[in-house]
Amino acid sequence: MTSPRPAGAVRHPGRPGQGRSGGSGSQGQWPMPDRSIIGTVLGIPPVAALGVAVAFTGLGVLIDVLRSGTAGIVFKVGFFTGCLLAVMWVRRRSLFLPIVQPPLLVAVLVPVMVLLVGPSRSGGGTTETLLLVGAPLINSFPTMATTTAVVVGIGIGRLLLQRNDDPELRLGRLAGRDRAAQGRGGPAGRAPGRREPKPTVAEEARRRAREKRLEAERAGREGGRVSDPRGSGGARGEGRTSRSPRQS
């Protein structure tokens, strides 16, 4: 038989996800630095977020180049989707790379894919190569600007909204401050304007009994000091009277 639960015991509700590495926070949410845009979903490292954006963008460029010879609508959809997933799925503490990656992807990945998979032109000189690479870059500039603006907005929103406001973290910080104040002790360790706790009835009774005992001991010592001088003075007076010569 199981022992009954004490009346004052507090039952903590189960938290989903504690079996995972590191455990999740209150209400099944991960710690704030490790969260994605959804608190219950663990964020991915920045390298993985970059891989997601590269995979979607590269696949879109590949399909468009093989289909029409230049970057088109499939590239635009894949590029926007990959960058959006990257900035929403990455860990909160690793937002910098997904925010700055959209222009870099267009400037690096699109020319490389066009040169590798694009239509071959026999005898084409430098001018034709520049036109072959520059046309997709110019056509994709509006998509790149729009995607960058959306990604930057989501990243700034996550930085402002996803702060370290976990109730457990706040309780831990408050408990640490209380322990530090108790360790310092005395008036110097108390926060300014903080009142001392009122003594209990038992403490007040002990204090009064101690004061009465000290007063009684002090009165006893003072009474002994007053009585001794009189007795010694009287004895000395009697000695002088007995030893004095009888006057005729």
Side-chain angles (χ1 to χ4, degrees):
M1 295 179 62
T2 58
S3 59
R5 184 181 299 274
V10 179
R11 184 179 180 183
H12 298 279
R15 296 168 183 171
Q18 285 186 345
R20 294 171 288 188
S21 61
S24 59
S26 60
Q27 300 179 356
Q29 294 186 347
W30 291 92
M32 189 63 68
D34 297 331
R35 293 181 188 178
S36 64
I37 196 171
I38 303 174
T40 55
V41 178
L42 180 63
I44 60 177
V47 177
L50 177 63
V52 170
V54 169
F56 275 84
T57 305
L59 182 62
V61 175
L62 178 63
I63 293 175
D64 273 343
V65 169
L66 292 178
R67 183 174 58 89
S68 59
T70 185
I73 186 64
V74 180
F75 154 72
K76 296 177 181 179
V77 173
F79 173 68
F80 182 81
T81 304
C83 293
L84 201 64
L85 285 176
V87 76
M88 291 191 301
W89 199 359
V90 75
R91 296 172 181 171
R92 193 265 182 196
R93 61 184 175 186
S94 305
L95 280 169
F96 177 75
L97 182 60
I99 288 177
V100 301
Q101 72 182 358
L104 301 178
L105 286 179
V106 173
V108 175
L109 192 60
V110 172
V112 170
M113 294 295 295
V114 170
L115 289 176
L116 291 178
V117 191
S120 59
R121 297 182 181 182
S122 59
T126 306
T127 304
E128 292 185 0
T129 303
L130 292 177
L131 291 176
L132 181 65
V133 173
L137 289 177
I138 296 173
N139 295 333
S140 61
F141 180 80
T143 303
M144 184 268 294
T146 303
T147 304
T148 303
V150 173
V151 167
V152 170
I154 294 176
I156 294 176
R158 288 189 60 184
L159 290 175
L160 295 177
L161 297 178
Q162 289 184 320
R163 297 182 179 179
N164 291 328
D165 55 353
D166 197 333
E168 290 187 352
L169 296 178
R170 289 202 304 268
L171 291 177
R173 288 195 295 267
L174 292 176
R177 293 175 185 174
D178 291 341
R179 287 194 297 268
Q182 292 177 1
R184 288 192 297 268
R190 294 193 300 268
R194 185 176 180 180
R195 297 181 178 179
E196 295 183 358
K198 297 180 65 176
T200 60
V201 177
E203 292 176 352
E204 187 68 22
R206 286 195 296 268
R207 184 183 63 81
R208 292 178 180 178
R210 186 168 56 253
E211 290 178 355
K212 290 180 179 180
R213 186 173 62 253
L214 292 176
E215 290 178 359
E217 293 176 355
R218 190 181 306 111
R221 287 195 299 269
E222 292 177 355
R225 291 173 185 172
V226 171
S227 60
D228 285 343
R230 291 179 180 178
S232 59
R236 286 195 297 271
E238 292 177 358
R240 285 196 298 271
T241 304
S242 60
R243 287 193 299 270
S244 61
R246 182 180 297 176
Q247 296 180 2
S248 56

